[in-house]
Amino acid sequence: MADTTISYSWHQRPRVYQYLLGTFISALGVLSLLVTSHHEAGPWSIFGYVFLICGLFMFVEQQTRIDTKSHIVFREGRLFGWLRIWFTRHPLGDFTAVTCRRFVHIGDNDTIFVGLRRQTGQVMEVFYLTVANGYPCVRASNEAQTLAQKLGLPLDEQGVT
């Protein structure tokens, strides 16, 4: 029996790196709040809360699963990989194309987003990859082509190759 579920994790880096980054950012937030608590209350304490919230979001793993048999796209976020924070479900008929677009960063690596375009024109991005500025991303292009073939949707590539 063929596998009918296609799964993608939002971040392609290992979980331990994600958690280390979240711990570091959260620690910066806690440190900032501790420092501002000993001084006058002012607008600087907001930075501590921002760092703390951003650090906590690094512990949420985002997953997209596409069931080709039931034609449903599931998206969810799980805290530490097991406690479900949010969950959405969309019928595959809501999507018109598989997209692959490049976001160019000046003086840094580019980001390639692979996603599904809705009938409204909005794109639900499934995962991203990083590639050197100006170079093609063969992996993203191949992954988008494979996804388009499996789902029977057209492919819309914008500046990937």
Side-chain angles (χ1 to χ4, degrees):
M1 185 168 151
D3 188 24
T4 62
T5 302
I6 306 166
S7 294
Y8 294 102
S9 292
W10 177 248
H11 297 290
Q12 300 300 309
R13 62 181 159 271
R15 179 186 286 183
V16 67
Y17 295 139
Q18 197 71 24
Y19 289 173
L20 285 173
L21 185 60
T23 302
F24 177 73
I25 294 171
S26 297
L28 283 177
V30 168
L31 181 65
S32 176
L33 289 173
L34 287 174
V35 168
T36 57
S37 69
H38 294 297
H39 299 320
E40 280 184 31
W44 295 107
S45 63
I46 193 75
F47 289 116
Y49 290 113
V50 169
F51 273 107
L52 192 59
I53 290 170
C54 289
L56 292 176
F57 278 126
M58 297 300 288
F59 297 114
V60 177
E61 298 176 24
Q62 298 179 47
Q63 181 96 19
T64 303
R65 288 178 292 125
I66 304 167
D67 190 338
T68 57
K69 187 175 181 181
S70 64
H71 301 285
I72 296 178
V73 178
F74 302 96
R75 291 197 60 157
E76 66 183 359
R78 292 181 177 265
L79 185 64
F80 298 111
W82 61 271
L83 179 64
R84 185 185 285 173
I85 302 295
W86 56 269
F87 177 79
T88 60
R89 179 182 4 202
H90 305 279
L92 193 55
D94 285 353
F95 301 99
T96 60
V98 174
T99 65
C100 194
R101 71 177 176 91
R102 178 185 292 266
F103 185 80
V104 178
H105 301 279
I106 304 299
D108 199 5
N109 292 335
D110 295 346
T111 306
I112 309 292
F113 293 97
V114 176
L116 301 171
R117 176 172 288 123
R118 297 175 193 229
Q119 292 179 353
T120 62
Q122 294 178 325
V123 176
M124 180 178 78
E125 277 141 357
V126 176
F127 70 95
Y128 70 94
L129 297 169
T130 305
V131 66
N133 193 299
Y135 285 88
C137 186
V138 176
R139 182 175 171 212
S141 185
N142 290 344
E143 198 66 43
Q145 286 176 345
T146 302
L147 184 60
Q149 288 173 353
K150 287 182 178 180
L151 300 180
L153 295 172
L155 177 62
D156 180 17
E157 289 186 287
Q158 300 171 359
V160 176
T161 57

